[in-house]
Amino acid sequence: MQLLGEGRHVQGRIDLAAARDDGLVLVDVKTSQHLDAEQARRRAEGYAPQRDVYVGPVEAITRREVAEFAFHFSRAGEHVAEPITP
């Protein structure tokens, strides 16, 4: 959960998290169907606010940087990962 002030907040649940030498890797699994690679990439771009909600609190709680975030579209078999930079 991320508190936004004035009684507002956003929340979500991270499906997978793992530690790597260069930081944490977070994965959110989506069950969207019938997506090709380009559609999955566009869908992942639309989920950017959700990604940001996860990255900030995870870094604050763990005191470690998130190195990579991915949306995995399980039914479509598409994995869209991106590095997270400061």
Side-chain angles (χ1 to χ4, degrees):
M1 177 181 290
Q2 185 175 17
L3 303 177
L4 302 174
E6 299 179 19
R8 297 178 349 172
H9 70 278
V10 291
Q11 67 182 20
R13 291 179 182 87
I14 300 164
D15 294 312
L16 301 167
R20 264 187 347 203
D21 288 341
D22 63 338
L24 301 172
V25 178
L26 305 179
V27 178
D28 189 38
V29 178
K30 301 293 187 190
T31 57
S32 302
Q33 298 183 56
H34 309 295
L35 297 176
D36 62 25
E38 180 59 24
Q39 291 169 323
R41 185 192 60 75
R42 285 195 312 266
R43 184 79 52 97
E45 287 175 0
Y47 286 128
Q50 183 179 6
R51 176 203 62 215
D52 295 344
V53 166
Y54 293 160
V55 170
V58 166
E59 289 183 336
I61 291 167
T62 64
R63 298 181 189 240
R64 293 193 63 191
E65 290 186 357
V66 174
E68 182 177 288
F69 190 96
F71 287 104
H72 182 76
F73 298 92
S74 61
R75 292 183 184 165
E78 296 292 338
H79 189 81
V80 180
E82 64 181 329
I84 302 296
T85 61

